[in-house]
Amino acid sequence: MSPHLLVDVSGHGFGHLAQVAPVLNALRSRRPDLRLTVRTEVPAAVVRRRVGGNLSVLTRTLDVGLAMRSAFEVDVAESLRRYRAFHDDWPRQVERAAAEMAALAPDLLLADVPYRSLAAAAHVGVPALALCSLHWGDIFERYCGTEPGAAELVAAMCEAYGRAMAFLQAEPAMPMPDLANRTPIGPIAALGRRRREEIGARLGLSRDDRLVLIGLGGVETRLPLERWPRMAGVRWLVPAAWEGVRQDLVPMEALDVPFLDLLASCDLLLTKTGYGSFVEAACAGVRVLNVRRPDWPEEPYLLDWLERRAPCRSVGREAIVKGNFLEAVEVLLNEPPRPAIVPSGVAEAVDRIEALLGSA
């Protein structure tokens, strides 16, 4: 019988799916007989765009993540309320999750990175791996750690993460000092195909024109494009939903080109601090203009890594709102690109998963 891999993915934006998808695609190429079930809040259509082949997608709320006011702002009070509700009668919550997992009968659980799933797997004896650059205990503690009862919630999260056979820390990762099972691996990213000549011909670009791609992840936030001065020779690839009417704005959906191919074909990515955008850009050899998130716990580790591997600059959100960031764009576009980074963590993760499936 073919081995069955259950993959539980946090639905906080699209970053967790972007992180696990290249691993699943590489695993499927090695094990075409694999039965694959993905559970997540991410829309099934988005999952299927990222993960190829035959798979089952089950819509489930597996963790809390964070309540977001925008792509940049965390609603701390609402996040705390959700975590308290999520942990209410925690043993019963785990039992219910364990019963559902037992009904699915997986040979292995891969979690990026819902912790209740890991607790449930331990409850029914399903081997489990965690994979991520962060865990929700660290994130929750950063925002809510001083609130009454927060320490107990963090302890429950860390205990669940500790039940995994290994927590694969995808580079660049937060330190996670509380987890004895942490196992560093290389960076993980999917790679797109460079289609610059094709895109340039469709847009009527000259050899000297530049493409700037705007990608803020799965939490929708519209930037005030109408306040931005124009830059000679620069076209901005933006979501069609932003309804730009300027000739230098190109709705990326109109090109009918996958996002990763757009990334591989552009000169600069404008994004917010986040694992997926940083690592995918570095692995495509693309410059990055980053909108800082000073309160985001990952930011120091992600920025330190990116600054050593790709031409990048960071600006504050106010500069983006007012359009006072074009000098940084010009500086970056004049910097030579650096060699693309190899996403070595993909093969490392696949090796660990395949070894466990081999014993199933």
Side-chain angles (χ1 to χ4, degrees):
M1 183 179 294
S2 300
H4 182 197
L5 177 64
L6 174 63
V7 184
D8 283 356
V9 181
S10 289
H12 185 259
F14 296 158
H16 294 272
L17 176 65
Q19 195 170 70
V20 77
V23 173
L24 299 181
N25 289 328
L27 177 65
R28 177 61 65 70
S29 69
R30 290 197 201 176
R31 298 291 297 266
D33 62 324
L34 182 69
R35 289 177 55 215
L36 184 59
T37 300
V38 177
R39 299 193 299 179
T40 184
E41 281 186 278
V42 176
V46 178
V47 175
R48 295 183 187 281
R49 282 200 296 268
R50 282 280 190 167
V51 182
N54 186 34
L55 72 156
S56 298
V57 182
L58 304 178
T59 302
R60 296 290 187 276
T61 298
L62 299 169
D63 57 13
V64 176
L66 291 171
M68 304 296 296
R69 292 195 179 98
S70 72
F72 303 95
E73 298 172 292
V74 174
D75 187 332
V76 176
E78 175 61 15
S79 296
L80 178 62
R81 186 197 67 78
R82 291 183 186 182
Y83 270 96
R84 284 174 171 164
F86 190 73
H87 281 259
D88 184 46
D89 198 359
W90 179 246
R92 185 176 294 276
Q93 299 270 21
V94 172
E95 288 178 4
R96 289 173 179 166
E100 183 175 357
M101 187 173 296
L104 291 171
D107 296 296
L108 178 68
L109 168 71
L110 176 65
D112 190 335
V113 63
Y115 55 90
R116 187 173 64 188
S117 298
L118 295 166
H123 193 76
V124 293
V126 173
L129 288 173
L131 166 67
C132 200
S133 57
L134 56 80
H135 70 68
W136 289 118
D138 281 344
I139 303 300
F140 172 80
E141 187 172 33
R142 165 63 179 80
Y143 290 102
C144 305
T146 60
E147 298 294 332
E152 289 80 1
L153 300 187
V154 172
M157 296 180 215
C158 290
E159 180 185 15
Y161 286 127
R163 303 297 294 273
M165 300 178 72
F167 192 119
L168 305 181
Q169 289 177 292
E171 176 191 335
M174 293 181 68
M176 309 182 198
D178 295 332
L179 300 186
N181 59 346
R182 62 189 184 277
T183 304
I185 62 174
I188 292 176
L191 302 177
R193 180 165 61 93
R194 183 170 173 82
R195 300 167 62 176
R196 180 54 178 266
E197 290 187 5
E198 171 194 342
I199 293 170
R202 291 174 62 181
L203 297 179
L205 301 182
S206 72
R207 180 174 298 181
D208 295 328
D209 286 340
R210 303 298 189 96
L211 282 176
V212 179
L213 174 64
I214 301 178
L216 299 178
V219 180
E220 180 58 38
T221 298
R222 186 187 185 280
L223 299 180
L225 308 175
E226 55 278 356
R227 300 182 187 176
W228 297 0
R230 300 193 184 205
M231 293 186 70
V234 171
R235 297 283 190 94
W236 306 85
L237 300 178
V238 304
W242 291 9
E243 298 180 349
V245 295
R246 290 170 25 170
Q247 291 184 346
D248 59 341
L249 304 180
V250 179
M252 61 181 75
E253 292 88 343
L255 293 173
D256 195 25
V257 173
F259 182 86
L260 289 172
D261 289 0
L262 291 177
L263 177 61
S265 305
C266 74
D267 299 287
L268 174 68
L269 173 68
L270 192 161
T271 188
K272 63 178 174 62
T273 302
Y275 182 94
S277 56
F278 279 16
V279 179
E280 287 174 354
C283 290
V286 171
R287 308 166 184 86
V288 177
L289 179 62
N290 172 56
V291 185
R292 288 191 296 268
R293 301 169 67 188
D295 66 331
W296 184 244
E298 270 192 299
E299 182 161 90
Y301 309 102
L302 296 179
L303 278 177
D304 176 70
W305 183 87
L306 184 66
E307 287 168 355
R308 291 183 281 114
R309 288 165 174 82
C312 65
R313 293 286 187 277
S314 290
V315 297
R317 188 181 174 198
E318 184 178 359
I320 295 294
V321 169
K322 294 183 176 180
N324 298 332
F325 65 97
L326 300 189
E327 182 179 350
V329 171
E330 186 173 359
V331 168
L332 275 172
L333 290 176
N334 286 320
E335 285 195 31
R338 298 186 201 172
I341 301 299
V342 176
S344 58
V346 175
E348 293 175 81
V350 169
D351 289 343
R352 295 296 297 262
I353 297 167
E354 191 176 26
L356 291 172
L357 287 174
S359 62

